[in-house]
Amino acid sequence: LNTAVVTTNTFNGGSGGTTMGVYIYGSVAKVMNSTINAGNATNNYGVYARSTTFCTVSGNTITGGAGTNSYGAYSTSTGCTFSGNTMTGGTGATQSYGMYAVGGAAPFVIVSSNLIKGGSAPTSYGFYVITPATVKKNRIEGGTGSTVAYGLYNNGYASNINNNQIYGGTNSNSTYGIYLLNVNMGPIRNNTVNGGSAGSGAGDASIALYGGGGQQDAAIQNNIFFTTSGTDRYCIKGAG
């Protein structure tokens, strides 16, 4: 899609080596109020926004499919807005992501007022972000995998994380509400973060906020951190 407005449709990516419900390539495309399924493939994507600036994905129900790695939404774009969607990671055999955003350049991706669920792969992520992002007013859930679940995984770039409800998910091993890795941190403010429901075995942990190393300039203010269950439970924990 390039500079198109697409609204009130149903999409299914089908089956194959790689499948996509909707593929956006261009500058100002809009995908709105549609039902989008990624299909069944080794790598499957409900919505894939590639090299796009200022696209809009709004009011959709987006679901990753079955296969090896499943993605509700996948963005390599800058300045795009994802708002008012329900995005679910699907049932990948290895990993599932409600949303995955990578890019590294300004302007920020804006992710606002969505329900984002990690899906049910062994390793599941609500929102995996490797790009500057504004993340606000979302409900983000880590999923129900069997190895590890993450609500929000922020890797390498500062993001503004404000006014969200974040849940690490339910997992037979460990769960994380927010996981930070090598981040020059933007503000984390006014969020309610539940580390999730982890397992009861040795070392199984529920962690609301985890710093995996390399954090600088933290601005963590006015949040509520707590956990639901697990052998080990931490509101905030650093690497080591």
Side-chain angles (χ1 to χ4, degrees):
L1 299 176
N2 188 354
T3 66
V5 177
V6 180
T7 184
T8 59
N9 296 280
T10 298
F11 300 93
N12 191 308
S15 59
T18 298
T19 58
M20 304 176 192
V22 173
Y23 179 71
I24 304 171
Y25 184 82
S27 58
V28 291
K30 296 181 180 180
V31 179
M32 301 162 47
N33 303 320
S34 295
T35 300
I36 304 167
N37 188 282
N40 300 322
T42 300
N43 295 300
N44 60 80
Y45 308 86
V47 171
Y48 192 125
R50 175 174 172 257
S51 301
T52 301
T53 303
F54 303 119
C55 70
T56 299
V57 180
S58 179
N60 305 285
T61 299
I62 306 168
T63 307
T68 302
N69 300 306
S70 60
Y71 303 83
Y74 188 101
S75 174
T76 64
S77 303
T78 61
C80 287
T81 297
F82 292 79
S83 66
N85 304 286
T86 297
M87 300 182 282
T88 305
T91 59
T94 301
Q95 296 176 327
S96 59
Y97 303 82
M99 183 173 179
Y100 188 111
V102 59
F108 282 21
V109 172
I110 299 171
V111 181
S112 176
S113 303
N114 302 281
L115 173 58
I116 307 174
K117 300 180 179 182
S120 60
T123 299
S124 59
Y125 302 83
F127 184 20
Y128 191 110
V129 55
I130 322 175
T131 189
T134 294
V135 185
K136 61 182 181 179
K137 299 181 180 179
N138 303 283
R139 167 73 180 181
I140 303 173
E141 301 176 1
T144 58
S146 58
T147 301
V148 62
Y150 303 91
L152 174 65
Y153 193 113
N154 190 184
N155 184 354
Y157 289 90
S159 293
N160 297 319
I161 303 169
N162 300 311
N163 295 296
N164 301 282
Q165 296 181 0
I166 301 173
Y167 174 60
T170 302
N171 194 284
S172 56
N173 291 308
S174 292
T175 57
Y176 299 84
I178 298 175
Y179 190 106
L180 303 170
L181 182 64
N182 298 321
V183 176
N184 293 324
M185 292 171 59
I188 300 175
R189 295 191 178 112
N190 304 313
N191 303 282
T192 299
V193 184
N194 181 347
S197 302
S200 57
D204 293 341
S206 173
I207 303 172
L209 175 64
Y210 182 81
Q215 285 73 51
Q216 300 180 42
D217 302 323
I220 303 171
Q221 299 172 330
N222 299 318
N223 302 282
I224 298 171
F225 296 108
F226 64 104
T227 66
T228 297
S229 62
T231 302
D232 301 319
R233 299 167 63 178
Y234 306 89
C235 288
I236 298 180
K237 186 177 188 297

